[in-house]
Amino acid sequence: MNQQLLAKTFVELADNLVADFDLIDFLRLLTDRCVGMLGASAAGVLLADRDGKLRVMAASDEQVRLLELFQLQNDEGPCLECYRTGTPVIVPDLTREVDRWPRFVTAAHRSGFGAVQALPMRLRDETVGALNLFRADPGPFDPAATLIGQALADVATISLLQQRSTHRSTVLNEQLQTALNSRVLIEQAKGKLAERQGIDMEQAFTALRGYARAHNRRLSDVARAFIDDSEPLPDLGA
């Protein structure tokens, strides 16, 4: 494992919550680093909205995003169980869990995944979501990597719950609602750019994210400008 990248990731997750930070980009950083460092084939993040309903907030690729959506729509799977219990759910071999989650296991295999571990995003007794790490091949998970994954989830959760006032739950709900609205904009922009450029959804997201970072702008603002055609965005998707 790249120790320098690991240290950098902890710093980024702990220090990324500034006054106007981009929650979607923050969570995408978390999933990307989990894939890059922990041997996961893909990663996703589910967060609860103000009504306690889980939403897909970030995914390392389009395939796992769709699988996470499938899990929510069918109300079964390790990630939901992890959120509801507030404890890790580690499944080294999904074939052994067909009776437990029949629809999810079938969908996961169809997507090319044979193992999964879901790690709670929690602070003390408050669980706000789950970090989900998928692997193509079944087999035991590295305990050290699991500990690091949980530590990353914990640091990200602390950042999410950080506040400048005493009303933590209000601040968090506002952040999550803003992120949900941004997620809708970004998905619309991805679809429009993918159709216009003849690229897939993941390439469209990468282009939007890259443009936002290159121009020091919020990803949601770039998405809105692209959808509305309210300003020129030179080189986007080039």
Side-chain angles (χ1 to χ4, degrees):
M1 184 178 296
N2 187 322
Q3 298 297 323
Q4 287 186 326
L5 181 59
L6 178 61
K8 179 182 178 184
T9 300
F10 275 113
V11 170
E12 288 175 318
L13 292 177
D15 196 38
N16 217 349
L17 196 63
V18 294
D20 195 30
F21 92 121
D22 193 325
L23 179 56
I24 299 298
D25 197 48
F26 172 81
L27 294 174
R28 180 59 186 254
L29 170 69
L30 175 62
T31 61
D32 287 351
R33 291 295 171 79
C34 285
V35 171
M37 296 188 303
L38 303 182
S41 303
V45 173
L46 302 180
L47 290 182
D49 64 16
R50 67 183 63 187
D51 298 318
K53 185 175 181 179
L54 284 175
R55 307 281 188 172
V56 181
M57 299 306 300
S60 60
D61 59 48
E62 187 68 12
Q63 189 174 43
V64 79
R65 186 184 75 85
L66 295 175
L67 180 60
E68 296 277 44
L69 285 172
F70 179 90
Q71 187 172 191
L72 296 180
Q73 290 164 357
N74 288 273
D75 195 34
E76 71 168 43
C79 309
L80 276 75
E81 186 171 312
C82 171
Y83 169 70
R84 289 165 179 167
T85 63
T87 58
V89 177
I90 300 176
V91 186
D93 187 350
L94 279 167
T95 60
R96 299 183 179 182
E97 305 295 340
V98 174
D99 293 338
R100 189 178 181 185
W101 307 306
R103 288 169 292 184
F104 172 78
V105 169
T106 299
H109 283 157
R110 192 163 51 237
S111 298
F113 301 121
V116 60
Q117 57 179 343
L119 306 174
M121 298 184 69
R122 67 188 176 203
L123 181 62
R124 293 184 286 276
D125 295 330
E126 184 174 6
T127 302
V128 300
L131 169 64
N132 312 308
L133 308 179
F134 296 86
R135 203 177 57 205
D137 299 322
F141 287 92
D142 179 3
T146 298
L147 287 174
I148 292 172
Q150 184 63 68
L152 291 171
D154 291 345
V155 170
T157 305
I158 291 169
S159 288
L160 288 172
L161 294 173
Q162 181 178 308
Q163 56 179 304
R164 293 172 181 80
S165 71
T166 59
H167 305 293
R168 174 192 297 171
S169 60
T170 300
V171 172
L172 177 61
N173 284 334
E174 289 174 354
Q175 290 170 344
L176 294 183
Q177 191 58 48
T178 299
L180 287 169
N181 296 338
S182 297
R183 181 83 254 175
V184 172
L185 282 173
I186 292 164
E187 290 302 316
Q188 292 174 344
K190 280 167 56 179
K192 181 176 179 179
L193 183 60
E195 181 179 4
R196 178 175 294 183
Q197 297 289 338
I199 56 180
D200 63 34
M201 295 286 277
E202 185 62 24
Q203 290 171 319
F205 178 84
T206 300
L208 289 164
R209 187 189 192 195
Y211 186 94
R213 288 189 166 191
H215 293 80
N216 196 29
R217 298 185 59 180
R218 290 170 57 87
L219 181 56
S220 56
D221 291 341
V222 172
R224 182 181 290 105
F226 180 65
I227 293 169
D228 297 342
D229 288 322
S230 57
E231 62 178 277
L233 299 173
D235 302 324
L236 177 60

